[in-house]
Amino acid sequence: MKRILFMLTAFAFLAGLVGCSSESRNVTMHKPGVYKGTKDPLLALKNQQELIDRAKLVQTDR
Amino acid sequence: MARMKFLCDVERCIDCNACVTSCNNEHDVPWGINRRHVVTMDDGVSGEKSISVACMHCTDAPCAAVCPVDCFYFTPDGIVLHDKDLCIGCGYCFYACPFGAPQFPEENSFAARGKMDKCTFCAGGPLPDNSVEEYKLYGRNRIAEGKLPLCAEMCATKALLGGDGDVVSDIYIQRVVKRGGRPDTWGWNTAYNFKSEKEKKP
């Protein structure tokens, strides 16, 4: 009985400590209009001129 | 900075659906789903017009504006892409898109939609370029390989143009000038009540 009482007290103490932490309680991770997914490697695209040259080469009338 | 755009020249499109087939084949799109489709007006009547439609990679994309989880993003060259890990399949983008681009390949019970799928301008998704995971979720990434969308590159009549908007518009303007008329853009005559010389003087 004493042991259960001790464990309950310890649990209540720990729960109290967690409640006192300075971490934000806001669980909403969504921000309107902000993409929060994985970053696309294409965002650092460097072959734009290559694509423009290809468009001129492939799509113009022969 | 280049801005990638599609343009379909209705005077050249012959409704062959090769763009649809090539897209489905290149990206291994599930059976019954078309990221690109060809619409024909006045089918079977003389003067019918066809146009190939897919995601037009809008500058101010309505799909991105209505997405409740903001799963859309834009590449520096204006390609509209989305993250399937964030998509919840709500279908708002489907209602917002004027071109019918968003597709829902997975159909579950209780009308639950799976992740949205759409034309990626052959630019894949946010996963590592040309990885197996990217191919499975988004299809092949031709842009990372320095190539343009296959639908436009293999169009037999060069009706479908895809690439930098400036180059595409230059090609189209040259064609219009060569034809010697006003651009016969879809709906132009209807919108401006245009009458040919024959109709004016019967």
Side-chain angles (χ1 to χ4, degrees), chain A residues 12-60:
Chain A
F13 177 70
L14 285 173
L17 277 183
V18 171
C20 292
S21 75
S22 58
E23 266 184 31
S24 169
R25 295 281 168 273
N26 185 7
V27 292
T28 311
M29 293 164 74
H30 175 252
K31 276 187 187 167
V34 180
Y35 170 73
K36 287 186 148 183
T38 321
K39 277 217 165 177
D40 193 335
L42 264 187
L43 295 176
L45 187 70
K46 286 171 189 161
N47 63 348
Q48 285 191 336
Q49 192 53 47
E50 195 184 334
L51 292 172
I52 292 170
D53 293 343
R54 190 171 171 103
K56 284 178 185 163
L57 184 75
V58 178
Q59 314 226 344
T60 42

Side-chain angles (χ1 to χ4, degrees), chain B residues 10 41 49 51 183-194:
Chain B
V10 288
M41 298 291 285
K49 304 267 187 213
I51 186 167
D184 286 332
T185 324
W186 211 28
W188 179 282
N189 295 344
T190 317
Y192 294 97
N193 197 21
F194 176 73

Side-chain angles (χ1 to χ4, degrees), chain B residues 164-183:
Chain B
D164 177 29
D166 292 339
V167 177
V168 166
S169 63
D170 277 350
I171 294 169
Y172 187 62
I173 288 165
Q174 279 173 21
R175 284 181 190 176
V176 172
V177 169
K178 218 175 197 177
R179 286 176 200 154
R182 64 168 71 208

Side-chain angles (χ1 to χ4, degrees), chain B residues 148-168:
Chain B
L148 291 166
L150 187 63
C151 52
E153 287 209 336
M154 57 69 56
C155 179
T157 58
K158 296 201 187 296
L160 185 61
L161 303 169
D164 177 29
D166 292 339
V167 177
V168 166

Side-chain angles (χ1 to χ4, degrees), chain B:
Chain B
M1 178 75 70
R3 284 204 73 83
M4 295 299 176
K5 293 289 173 199
F6 279 123
L7 190 146
C8 185
D9 186 346
V10 288
E11 297 304 311
R12 287 188 173 213
C13 182
I14 55 170
D15 189 22
C16 69
N17 275 274
C19 48
V20 178
T21 312
S22 63
C23 173
N24 289 356
N25 189 49
E26 184 77 342
H27 303 298
D28 202 14
V29 178
W31 183 253
I33 293 292
N34 291 329
R35 286 181 176 182
R36 172 169 288 286
H37 46 270
V38 178
V39 179
T40 304
M41 298 291 285
D42 299 329
D43 199 0
V45 181
S46 175
E48 68 173 41
K49 304 267 187 213
S50 296
I51 186 167
S52 177
V53 189
C55 173
M56 300 300 278
H57 300 276
C58 309
T59 307
D60 186 10
C63 53
V66 299
C67 181
V69 291
D70 290 310
C71 73
F72 291 91
Y73 63 96
F74 299 81
T75 65
D77 43 5
I79 302 172
V80 181
L81 298 173
H82 72 297
D83 187 339
K84 285 191 182 180
D85 287 337
L86 296 182
C87 176
I88 55 171
C90 67
Y92 282 13
C93 51
F94 177 75
Y95 295 114
C97 177
F99 304 106
Q103 304 284 306
F104 294 89
E106 302 160 37
E107 265 191 36
N108 303 319
S109 51
F110 307 112
R113 303 179 182 94
K115 308 286 184 186
M116 188 272 280
D117 186 74
K118 73 170 192 73
C119 160
T120 62
F121 208 87
C122 289
L127 297 171
D129 290 341
N130 282 321
S131 59
V132 178
E133 298 80 36
E134 186 188 49
Y135 181 78
K136 275 185 186 165
L137 280 177
Y138 305 97
R140 197 167 154 204
N141 191 339
R142 290 172 58 86
I143 294 290
E145 294 171 6
K147 297 172 185 170
L148 291 166
L150 187 63
C151 52
E153 287 209 336
M154 57 69 56
C155 179
T157 58
K158 296 201 187 296
L160 185 61
L161 303 169
D164 177 29
D166 292 339
V167 177
V168 166
S169 63
D170 277 350
I171 294 169
Y172 187 62
I173 288 165
Q174 279 173 21
R175 284 181 190 176
V176 172
V177 169
K178 218 175 197 177
R179 286 176 200 154
R182 64 168 71 208
D184 286 332
T185 324
W186 211 28
W188 179 282
N189 295 344
T190 317
Y192 294 97
N193 197 21
F194 176 73
K195 284 180 181 166
S196 65
E197 288 305 313
K198 265 187 185 177
E199 283 172 312
K200 281 180 192 167
K201 296 172 193 169

